[in-house]
């Protein structure tokens, strides 16, 4: 096992606990803001990416950590963050969670009111989709901290989910402001919003429901300031055979920048020192020009696949991004040879550093599961510092620092135990937690 000195070196000063941490979207954001974090992640492949990136990790089920291994969380942690898996709430899924919203709201109230947790767990198992219950985990972790001797309530809470979960965050916020029941008088300033990623310089359209809660004494939580213009999702349909296929909206009115396009993001990343990106196949006449056909249908028609130009933001990056078809030919769309985004390219569209060390299997799934780090920087900076990330911090976030193999090996031991073996029963809860999270 790692020596106590080695563990202390990696975990000393950790402030942020990232539940359902995935490959590290929020942890990457925390790093560039100067905060140390530790993540809990069930998926072994995502853990391998995290170890390779030098991100402290516990390879375990979030529920198991809360019930039987809570004392392993460093006491320096004062920020609770996370994005519970969102399949059942997502418009891309079957929507069982959306239909169960009222039931989940009731469970939230039952937890705070002090209803018997064994009975709550039994009722949760009766839900159509057991993963829906995972949205309750952050509240259960907060209650655990409040009720555990020697632990202080978290000072800050940051949660994100798909837009359909916003009503749940609103219930969270109301209860956190009240501090009643099992909250034992612990109150928070709490706000929640829907955020569009392209308005924060992320080259994709993606909407997230975000909750930020903070213990009183630091003033009201101000809304995040967007930096870029919104992208018009309802723009007119284009004929891909017309000459203006690769035209771009040049509206830069006001003080905000235009949204960032796929071409701009990939081109800039490919020019960085040591970049693994080689998008020459996407260039025509020396310029990056292509269009993407979505893997998803729209308007209820699975054959009606949307298209995005290289001069526009990407579709929402999901675990199916490797199935999106990329074309550079405009002459004969049906006959044209399609390509796919590489994993580093997909990561850049999520605003991961160009050289982020994606590892393990199911890497497209890992990319799609993640919180876009640039959005995470804006949210965490507002929650922890009350302001936006600096231009220098954002500029630095395009490149990930080199991580020695010795660090990766040490973190693997901390996360999984000797020779990659995890403690017994660490993964005994539902095995399908980490499938696609749009």
């Amino acid at each position: 096992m790692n020596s106590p000195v080695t563990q202390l070196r990696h975990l000393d000063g950790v402030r942020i606990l990232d539940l359902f941490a995935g490959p590290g979207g929020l942890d990457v954001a925390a790093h560039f803001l100067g905060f140390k974090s530790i993540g809990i992640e069930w998926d072994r492949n995502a853990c391998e990416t995290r170890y390779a990136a030098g991100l402290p990790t516990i390879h375990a089920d979030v529920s198991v950590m809360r019930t039987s291994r809570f004392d392993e969380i460093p006491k320096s942690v004062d920020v609770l963050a996370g994005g519970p898996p969102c399949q059942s709430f997502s418009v891309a899924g079957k929507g069982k969670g959306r239909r169960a919203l009222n039931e989940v709201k009731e469970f939230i109230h039952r937890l705070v009111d002090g209803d018997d947790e064994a009975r709550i767990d039994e009722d949760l198992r009766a839900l159509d989709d057991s993963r829906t219950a995972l949205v309750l985990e952050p509240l259960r972790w907060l209650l655990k901290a409040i009720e555990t001797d020697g632990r202080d309530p978290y000072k800050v809470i940051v949660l994100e989910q798909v837009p359909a979960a916003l009503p749940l965050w609103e219930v969270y916020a109301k209860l956190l402001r009240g501090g009643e029941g099992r909250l034992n008088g612990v109150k928070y300033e709490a706000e929640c919003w829907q955020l569009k990623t392209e308005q924060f310089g992320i080259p994709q359209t993606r909407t997230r429901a975000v909750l930020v809660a903070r213990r009183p004494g630091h003033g009201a939580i101000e809304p995040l300031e967007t930096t870029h213009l919104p992208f018009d999702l309802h723009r007119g349909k284009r004929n891909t055979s017309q000459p203006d296929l690769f035209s771009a909206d040049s509206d830069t009115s006001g003080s905000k920048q235009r949204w960032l396009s796929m071409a701009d993001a990939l081109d800039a990343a490919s020019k960085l020192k040591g970049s693994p990106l080689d998008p020459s196949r996407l260039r025509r006449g020396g310029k990056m020009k292509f269009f993407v056909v979505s893997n998803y249908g729209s308007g209820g028609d699975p054959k009606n696949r949307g298209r995005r130009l290289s001069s526009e933001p990407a579709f929402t990056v999901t675990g199916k991004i490797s199935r999106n078809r990329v074309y550079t030919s405009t002459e004969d769309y049906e006959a044209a040879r399609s390509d796919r985004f590489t994993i580093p390219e997909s990561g850049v569209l999520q605003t991961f550093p160009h050289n982020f060390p994606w590892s393990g299997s199911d890497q497209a799934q890992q990319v799609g599961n993640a919180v876009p780090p640039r959005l995470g920087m804006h949210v965490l900076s507002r929650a922890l510092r009350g302001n936006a990330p600096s231009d220098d911090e954002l500029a630095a976030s395009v490149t990930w620092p080199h991580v020695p193999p010795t660090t990766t090996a040490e973190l693997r031991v901390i996360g999984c135990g000797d020779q990659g073996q995890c403690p017994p029963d660490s993964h005994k809860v539902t095995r399908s937690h980490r499938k696609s999270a749009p």
Side-chain angles (χ1 to χ4, degrees):
M1 287 290 289
N2 264 354
S3 70
V5 173
T6 300
Q7 291 200 38
L8 180 63
R9 178 165 59 86
H10 290 300
L11 302 183
D12 184 40
V14 166
R15 286 197 58 192
I16 300 172
L17 173 62
D18 186 6
L19 306 179
F20 310 103
L26 283 176
D27 305 79
V28 170
H31 166 82
F32 287 115
L33 294 174
F35 298 106
K36 292 186 68 172
S37 64
I38 185 170
I40 302 175
E41 175 52 43
W42 175 86
D43 180 70
R44 187 179 298 274
N45 293 309
C47 286
E48 285 302 317
T49 293
R50 295 178 60 86
Y51 301 147
L55 298 173
T57 305
I58 299 174
H59 179 204
D61 187 288
V62 165
S63 303
V64 172
M65 287 299 302
R66 172 178 53 82
T67 56
S68 62
R69 299 175 60 191
F70 189 77
D71 61 343
E72 295 180 32
I73 303 302
K75 291 187 177 181
S76 57
V77 166
D78 62 359
V79 180
L80 180 68
C86 64
Q87 302 93 319
S88 60
F89 295 99
S90 171
V91 295
K94 295 181 179 179
K96 292 180 180 178
R98 297 196 301 279
R99 293 191 293 273
L101 276 175
N102 289 333
E103 290 179 282
V104 178
K105 290 178 184 178
E106 181 181 345
F107 282 117
I108 293 173
H109 283 283
R110 287 174 63 184
L111 280 170
V112 173
D113 291 342
D115 198 351
D116 181 69
E117 288 215 37
R119 184 182 307 161
I120 290 175
D121 287 335
E122 182 179 349
D123 292 343
L124 284 169
R125 285 192 288 270
L127 293 176
D128 287 339
D129 190 330
S130 61
R131 296 169 299 183
T132 302
L134 296 175
V135 78
L136 302 175
E137 279 298 326
L139 175 59
R140 297 181 114 167
W141 275 80
L142 170 60
L143 296 174
K144 183 80 171 184
I146 291 173
E147 296 170 349
T148 299
D149 290 339
R151 294 277 179 169
D152 294 323
Y154 302 110
K155 294 180 180 178
V156 178
I157 301 170
V158 175
L159 305 176
E160 66 86 33
Q161 249 274 13
V162 293
L166 186 63
L168 301 181
W169 292 162
E170 290 171 342
V171 174
Y172 262 62
K174 183 177 180 180
L175 292 172
L176 292 174
R177 294 183 193 117
E180 299 178 356
R182 290 176 64 191
L183 291 169
N184 199 28
V186 177
K187 296 183 180 181
Y188 290 83
E189 301 283 348
E191 299 293 340
C192 40
W193 315 280
Q194 281 195 33
L195 304 177
K196 295 182 180 296
T197 55
E198 79 271 17
Q199 291 190 265
F200 295 91
I202 298 162
Q204 66 167 299
T205 53
R206 184 189 195 109
T207 304
R208 306 303 287 180
V210 172
L211 165 75
V212 171
R214 191 167 59 201
R215 296 280 281 145
H218 301 282
I221 300 172
E222 299 294 334
L224 277 69
E225 298 177 6
T226 60
T227 56
H228 292 66
L229 296 170
F231 178 70
D232 182 11
L233 292 173
H234 304 290
R235 65 206 185 286
K237 294 182 179 179
R238 294 183 171 93
N239 184 334
T240 57
S241 66
Q242 293 178 347
D244 66 347
L245 172 67
F246 298 109
S247 63
D249 181 358
S250 60
D251 180 13
T252 56
S253 58
S255 60
K256 300 185 188 303
Q257 305 174 61
R258 195 196 68 170
W259 34 261
L260 187 66
S261 72
M262 291 182 280
D264 288 341
L266 296 174
D267 190 53
S270 70
K271 296 175 180 176
L272 295 171
K273 182 179 180 180
S275 175
L277 277 70
D278 180 17
S280 57
R281 70 195 190 288
L282 304 178
R283 299 184 191 276
R284 284 168 54 294
K287 295 182 179 180
M288 196 170 293
K289 292 186 177 182
F290 58 87
F291 67 95
V292 181
V293 179
S294 173
N295 182 56
Y296 298 99
S298 60
D301 180 1
K303 295 182 179 180
N304 183 22
R305 305 296 175 89
R307 302 178 189 179
R308 288 283 175 90
L309 312 182
S310 55
S311 56
E312 298 174 330
F315 295 107
T316 297
V317 174
T318 73
K320 303 295 190 295
I321 187 170
S322 60
R323 299 184 186 179
N324 288 353
R325 293 174 294 170
V326 184
Y327 296 88
T328 55
S329 172
T330 63
E331 303 301 324
D332 186 351
Y333 163 66
E334 295 299 334
R337 179 179 177 275
S338 65
D339 206 327
R340 311 284 181 177
F341 286 125
T342 66
I343 294 302
E345 289 168 350
S346 301
V348 166
L349 296 178
Q350 277 277 59
T351 62
F352 276 88
H354 69 99
N355 60 335
F356 196 68
W358 300 101
S359 304
S361 302
D362 296 329
Q363 292 181 12
Q365 197 74 62
Q366 294 182 47
V367 174
N369 284 345
V371 178
R374 191 179 181 102
L375 180 65
M377 290 179 70
H378 281 273
V379 174
L380 287 177
S381 185
R382 175 64 70 190
L384 298 177
R385 308 188 304 198
N387 56 19
S390 70
D391 290 342
D392 287 344
E393 288 169 335
L394 292 172
S397 69
V398 299
T399 300
W400 193 247
H402 171 70
V403 176
T406 52
T407 296
T408 294
E410 291 168 355
L411 290 175
R412 186 180 291 112
V413 172
I414 292 173
C416 290
D418 283 335
Q419 299 178 354
Q421 299 300 311
C422 300
D425 298 326
S426 286
H427 311 288
K428 65 183 180 183
V429 182
T430 307
R431 299 287 178 155
S432 57
H433 288 181
R434 295 306 305 176
K435 299 299 182 185
S436 178

